[in-house]
Amino acid sequence: MNKNMQKKSPFAHLTEEQILELEKEFDRIHEEVYNDLGERDRRYIKSVISAQRQLAVAGRVLLLASLSRTSWIAGTACLGTAKILENMEIGHNVMHGQWDWMNDPDIHSSTWDWDTASTAHAWKHSHNYIHHTYTNILGVDKDLGYEIMRIDPKQTWHPRYLLQPLYNLALMALFEWGVAVHDMDIDAIRRREKPLSDVWEDLKGISGKARAQIIKDYVGWPLVSALAVGAAQTASQGRMVKPRSEPIRQLLPGSAKRRTLSRLIGAADAVLPVAKRAFVSTLAANATANLIRNVWTHAIIFCGHFPDQTYTFTQEETENESRGEWYLRQLVGAANIEGTPLFHVMSGNLGYQVEHHLYPDMPSTRYAEIAPKVKEICERYELPYNTGRFGHQWGTVHRTIFRLAFPGGKPRSKPGPYKRTEDEKPPARLSEASRYRARMPASSA
Amino acid sequence: MAERGAEPEVHPVRRRALRAVRHLFSPLLPDDYLELINPLWTTKELRGRVEKIEWQGSQAVTVSIMPGFNWPGHKPGQYIRLGVLINGRFHWRAYSLTSDPEPEDGLISLSPKVVESGTVSPYLVHRITPGTIVRLGEIEGVFTLPDPLPEKMLFISAGSGITPIISMLRSLDHRQEVNDVVIVHSAHKADEVMFGDVLKDLDDRYPGFRLHLRITEHDSLFTVDQLDDVCPDWREREAFCSGPGEMTDSFLDHFEENGLSDHIHYERFQPVIGGQGKGGAGGKVHLTHSKVTAECDGDTPILEVGEEAGVKMPYGCRIGVCHTCVGTLLSGQIRDLRSGEVGGSKGDTIRTCVNTAEGDIAIGL
């Protein structure tokens, strides 16, 4: 592939008729899946939701004994996993309207809220509308670099980008807060395009979500742990947990003369330090669970559009775009991550980012099933199908973040048209979801 | 938004306890975890468990349901929305309650007749099984027994039109007030008669209860001309009519011609939607959340006006029964397309599918 070829649009070779034909083919896949949705799909999402809630309960219960190291680790792992599922396979996909067809008010894009810092309303606007409509259009799709990073050589360099490897680390740890602030569209506020009343609404929304997370993870459950451990300690007359000496008795010298008071102080002496430790260790566990979730979602989401393979577009290129061209932009603007079925559930099936961008409202469980059809279209129309292993995708994303912190930079070589490999027999591997659906007989009810 | 069941009557202590701990579960509610153990425990909406299904003639069944919380009771003749899960989707339909309003076993019942080409009634008649969890909506309807009870009553029904009437009769029986009741019920075939045994039992037990069963396969259709023969004193009676639209219309007209239109109560199976030629003023519809203003001609439902203007309006049944399409009226007056009635004041929750603008209006949608 020569240098000129690399810069050329990956679908310059297609005629108008071919693009129209392609549009119909992509539409047909959507229609086929929608005609087939039913009880088995419902059972899948219900079972994921139920598993997530059970994991959350298990995590909270284990953390009542957060003073035990084993319990702390197991509880944090359960809670972190529950939070990842809640964000990725459930929250993200429900709020895309993927499950609205069930007409169930409990699992519906209009009513769903999630356990992160951005409000459902703001996120649906910036993500479902702006990002999914104007995917990878420079200057319009604000998800390209999230307004703080340069991830495409076509973005003009500025000295502030020198620090972007550092921002990125901070963003990784605090990803949910980054997303919340990003939803506010700082750029529009700076340009005074956004009315202050809207900004105020956003701030109210974010502070409300922040309050909810603080009350739940950093006050409420730590307090429940402290009370539980305190009660256990009282019931066992101080034998439950050996307190590290922090005797209240010593703080009140001389007052311990009277018997009742002395006994009370003795009890407080046995209970309070232990309860305090339980509070802190549960708080730390909850913070860790949030951190795990943030790092994981950051990784999956950055791998969706920023690996070397993806194409970006200018506003001129996408003017008067047809629906077929829209499909094509979604196809080459996103990149997949290969992985096991479990990996796909934990990433909200965003390992199928290409399929998700073609059909954002399609139940995520169906992406693995339609992937062979999408690949087949790519093969026939000589189009790229961006995919790679997790480590590889993550590596190229971060290489770009480092490289483009400095001036210059060229687009890396893009993959050519998709070619089926010898060992690839479609469907390559059944998704966890489809295997699940195959195991569950369609209920007669 | 998808349709939801009615808010159940929950003991205040339980409500307060759930409210007190809700912050530990946000953005979910304690209910979201409780329903993992038992789906009936959620206080978000009233649900019920199907207890038994019995044939009601050869075309219909009676589905008996145990509600999850105390049943608030209905007025005999009212209907309820029922939400059932069919192939992964929730479907809602309104059915008359056929149970006694004060049931001794706590069960409420509905008696759907099968429409083979339909979605919900074939499911209810052929496939639903005991143990199934269903969603229960609001109790609605104005086709009810008057208070105080009239001395003499006449019930005219056909087919599954008997369903609201059977609840009235059961209530009268429960209150021991079956004094002077004439019922003319028509069914196509003898084996299709719904509640035949209930009617027969009432006929046996009460001398003042007169049952005229007509099998239209053999007998002619019951018409207004036969009213004098079957029930000579019909003019002295309070009449209740429930059946197909043409039948109801002909009796309504007949009572009107005799100057007795306030003596007849009726229920139609299909709500009448549309302007009915009584075109109103129309006006501008301002949807405040969507920041859209559209012109409404006074014959088109607000829902359609909004949709045509490109707004994603909430909708459900589109015939005024499900309460999914509701929005808050912020200013102006609306006209009910079914009755032609003009009304509405600021803050009212209105159904956009059966109301149109009467002058300029603003709605919080």
Side-chain angles (χ1 to χ4, degrees):
Chain A
M1 198 185 273
N2 68 36
K3 231 179 179 178
N4 284 332
M5 279 290 285
Q6 286 172 20
K7 285 183 186 164
K8 216 171 128 190
S9 156
F11 36 89
H13 64 283
L14 296 175
T15 64
E16 259 180 51
E17 290 74 41
Q18 279 178 307
I19 292 177
L20 203 64
E21 198 51 47
L22 196 129
E23 173 186 318
K24 284 185 197 142
E25 293 206 36
F26 277 128
D27 280 343
R28 205 175 305 135
I29 294 176
H30 188 269
E31 197 186 321
E32 278 169 14
V33 168
Y34 261 72
N35 287 339
D36 189 47
L37 293 176
E39 180 62 27
R40 289 179 300 164
D41 297 274
R42 178 183 172 82
R43 280 184 182 226
Y44 171 74
I45 190 64
K46 285 289 280 186
S47 73
V48 173
I49 290 175
S50 155
Q52 185 269 328
R53 288 178 189 172
Q54 288 174 49
L55 270 171
V57 170
R60 300 292 185 194
V61 170
L62 281 164
L63 287 174
L64 293 181
S66 60
L67 289 182
S68 135
R69 177 184 277 274
T70 324
S71 195
W72 191 93
I73 292 172
T76 308
C78 283
L79 196 57
T81 313
K83 279 178 180 276
I84 286 172
L85 276 176
E86 197 260 359
N87 257 218
M88 306 294 271
E89 183 68 337
I90 306 171
H92 171 269
N93 294 337
V94 169
M95 291 200 294
H96 258 296
Q98 294 181 2
W99 302 97
D100 285 5
W101 59 272
M102 298 193 300
N103 193 30
D104 187 335
D106 288 341
I107 311 173
H108 200 275
S109 62
S110 62
T111 53
W112 195 269
D113 195 7
W114 56 354
D115 177 25
T116 83
S118 47
T119 63
H121 179 76
W123 184 82
K124 279 187 278 190
H125 178 262
S126 67
H127 181 84
N128 288 7
Y129 171 49
I130 304 291
H131 169 59
H132 272 273
T133 314
Y134 306 108
T135 313
N136 284 26
I137 302 177
L138 290 156
V140 186
D141 180 4
K142 305 231 172 349
D143 282 20
L144 279 177
Y146 297 96
E147 297 175 338
I148 52 167
M149 280 190 259
R150 181 168 176 258
I151 49 90
D152 190 276
K154 284 181 248 173
Q155 287 170 291
T156 342
W157 184 81
H158 186 278
R160 69 168 182 267
Y161 290 130
L162 284 170
L163 289 175
Q164 77 178 22
L166 288 178
Y167 301 152
N168 186 41
L169 272 183
L171 182 64
M172 201 184 275
L174 301 169
F175 193 57
E176 57 172 319
W177 302 102
V179 172
V181 175
H182 168 65
D183 282 336
M184 290 182 68
D185 197 353
I186 305 289
D187 208 28
I189 299 171
R190 214 182 285 136
R191 289 199 308 262
R192 300 181 183 219
E193 283 170 10
K194 189 167 171 166
L196 280 177
S197 58
D198 285 10
V199 177
W200 180 239
E201 282 300 311
D202 284 354
L203 287 173
K204 268 205 304 202
I206 297 170
S207 58
K209 299 284 296 204
R211 194 173 55 231
Q213 197 175 97
I214 291 166
I215 290 176
K216 179 174 60 165
D217 285 342
Y218 304 135
V219 180
W221 285 105
L223 209 55
V224 174
S225 278
L227 289 172
V229 171
Q233 183 79 336
T234 312
S236 66
Q237 292 176 334
R239 286 191 294 270
M240 245 283 294
V241 190
K242 273 226 170 99
R244 242 180 264 140
S245 188
E246 201 177 317
I248 294 174
R249 209 187 292 267
Q250 287 173 11
L251 296 174
L252 302 159
S255 65
K257 298 259 158 66
R258 287 166 60 192
R259 270 183 117 185
T260 332
L261 192 60
S262 160
R263 205 179 287 158
L264 270 177
I265 289 172
D269 192 31
V271 169
L272 285 181
V274 176
K276 198 178 90 187
R277 271 171 56 214
F279 184 95
V280 173
S281 74
T282 300
L283 187 147
N286 294 352
T288 309
N290 280 327
L291 178 75
I292 292 171
R293 184 264 318 270
N294 284 348
V295 171
W296 177 253
T297 49
H298 172 275
I300 297 298
I301 284 155
F302 269 53
C303 287
H305 296 283
F306 311 152
D308 292 346
Q309 310 145 333
T310 57
Y311 289 81
T312 54
F313 302 83
T314 62
Q315 291 174 53
E316 296 77 52
E317 276 176 302
T318 53
E319 251 174 339
N320 304 318
E321 188 182 53
S322 71
R323 181 158 173 77
E325 286 163 336
W326 181 86
Y327 272 129
L328 284 164
R329 175 160 54 84
Q330 303 299 332
L331 181 77
V332 299
N336 281 1
I337 313 165
E338 287 155 13
T340 63
L342 182 65
F343 170 84
H344 287 305
V345 172
M346 293 307 289
S347 58
N349 275 294
L350 291 182
Y352 293 101
Q353 188 75 235
V354 170
E355 286 76 13
H356 173 59
H357 261 269
L358 291 168
Y359 310 108
D361 70 337
M362 181 185 287
S364 57
T365 59
R366 296 288 189 152
Y367 293 150
E369 288 169 33
I370 63 161
K373 294 182 186 175
V374 174
K375 283 183 192 169
E376 196 265 337
I377 289 179
C378 288
E379 193 174 29
R380 230 167 347 104
Y381 288 85
E382 300 185 333
L383 292 163
Y385 182 85
N386 301 332
T387 184
R389 282 180 297 102
F390 180 49
H392 177 261
Q393 302 297 74
W394 194 87
T396 64
V397 168
H398 287 83
R399 184 174 61 189
T400 303
I401 290 172
F402 276 96
R403 169 62 190 91
L404 295 185
F406 302 97
K410 282 189 236 121
R412 292 204 165 247
S413 70
K414 307 286 179 194
Y418 172 76
K419 282 213 174 57
R420 201 184 304 269
T421 50
E422 281 293 310
D423 57 336
E424 201 172 3
K425 296 183 209 90
R429 208 191 242 156
L430 285 178
S431 70
E432 182 54 30
S434 59
R435 287 196 300 162
Y436 178 86
R437 278 194 269 108
R439 280 200 301 273
M440 301 300 278
S443 160
S444 60
Chain B
M1 194 175 76
E3 296 178 47
R4 182 174 278 299
E7 195 179 307
E9 274 182 16
V10 178
H11 196 281
V13 172
R14 183 174 183 155
R15 271 227 191 275
R16 278 198 210 110
L18 289 173
R19 259 186 85 78
V21 296
R22 76 186 189 282
H23 292 299
L24 290 175
F25 301 92
S26 79
L28 297 175
L29 295 168
D31 276 330
D32 292 311
Y33 292 89
L34 287 174
E35 72 175 6
L36 291 179
I37 310 169
N38 184 340
L40 295 183
W41 288 354
T42 181
T43 58
K44 286 190 293 187
E45 64 178 345
L46 187 60
R47 294 180 186 164
R49 187 194 297 105
V50 173
E51 295 293 331
K52 55 184 181 202
I53 301 115
E54 298 154 308
W55 281 103
Q56 201 56 258
S58 65
Q59 300 287 299
V61 292
T62 287
V63 180
S64 301
I65 298 164
M66 177 61 87
F69 289 91
N70 279 342
W71 177 245
H74 68 279
K75 290 187 194 146
Q78 286 189 306
Y79 63 86
I80 189 179
R81 289 185 302 119
L82 178 75
V84 288
L85 190 57
I86 304 171
N87 195 22
R89 290 172 170 84
F90 270 98
H91 293 265
W92 289 83
R93 292 290 185 277
Y95 290 105
S96 291
L97 286 152
T98 51
S99 44
D100 175 0
E102 296 157 68
E104 273 157 30
D105 53 5
L107 298 178
I108 59 166
S109 67
L110 324 153
S111 306
K113 187 178 172 187
V114 71
V115 179
E116 291 295 354
S117 60
T119 306
V120 177
S121 68
Y123 168 75
L124 292 175
V125 172
H126 299 304
R127 285 163 53 206
I128 199 169
T129 49
T132 305
I133 303 295
V134 294
R135 292 182 143 124
L136 301 171
E138 306 285 349
I139 302 161
E140 288 169 90
V142 292
F143 181 60
T144 53
L145 286 173
D147 186 28
L149 279 177
E151 289 284 308
K152 298 164 138 221
M153 289 180 268
L154 164 65
F155 294 96
I156 304 162
S157 67
S160 56
I162 187 78
T163 53
I165 288 172
I166 209 71
S167 180
M168 295 180 182
L169 295 177
R170 279 176 162 160
S171 175
L172 290 176
D173 182 22
H174 188 109
R175 290 144 68 179
Q176 299 283 312
E177 301 207 57
V178 188
N179 301 322
D180 190 349
V181 172
V182 176
I183 173 162
V184 189
H185 177 58
S186 311
H188 184 51
K189 290 180 181 170
D191 70 343
E192 288 180 10
V193 176
M194 294 174 72
F195 301 103
D197 49 345
V198 179
L199 294 171
K200 180 121 200 350
D201 175 50
L202 288 168
D203 204 19
D204 291 345
R205 283 192 288 125
Y206 294 100
F209 187 89
R210 275 181 288 149
L211 171 66
H212 295 272
L213 204 56
R214 298 177 72 94
I215 304 302
T216 54
E217 197 181 30
H218 310 299
D219 311 338
S220 63
L221 206 68
F222 184 58
T223 60
V224 289
D225 312 330
Q226 295 155 342
L227 199 52
D228 282 317
D229 299 334
V230 174
C231 181
D233 59 349
W234 63 271
R235 286 180 181 83
E236 296 157 28
R237 291 177 182 272
E238 202 81 6
F240 299 83
C241 183
S242 166
E246 313 88 73
M247 186 192 92
T248 311
D249 285 345
S250 66
F251 279 95
L252 274 176
D253 290 345
H254 189 61
F255 272 69
E256 202 168 324
E257 282 158 22
N258 284 275
L260 294 166
S261 46
D262 54 343
H263 276 233
I264 184 161
H265 309 259
Y266 63 96
E267 179 167 80
R268 293 172 198 274
F269 292 153
Q270 298 298 327
V272 180
I273 304 290
Q276 298 174 17
K278 299 177 200 159
K284 283 198 178 69
V285 174
H286 179 46
L287 301 167
T288 55
H289 296 339
S290 321
K291 294 173 185 150
V292 164
T293 304
E295 202 66 49
C296 176
D297 62 7
D299 272 330
T300 315
I302 296 161
L303 172 62
E304 278 176 33
V305 172
E307 284 177 339
E308 271 161 35
V311 178
K312 260 198 166 175
M313 303 279 285
Y315 73 91
C317 67
R318 306 185 89 101
I319 53 168
V321 290
C322 78
H323 292 264
T324 307
C325 64
V326 291
T328 312
L329 186 66
L330 301 175
S331 69
Q333 292 255 292
I334 51 161
R335 197 166 57 84
D336 192 315
L337 284 165
R338 298 165 298 180
S339 59
E341 209 171 292
V342 173
S345 49
K346 193 178 175 222
D348 281 357
T349 304
I350 61 156
R351 284 175 269 182
T352 61
C353 70
V354 289
N355 284 293
T356 189
E358 186 79 4
D360 294 351
I361 59 167
I363 296 175
L365 274 176

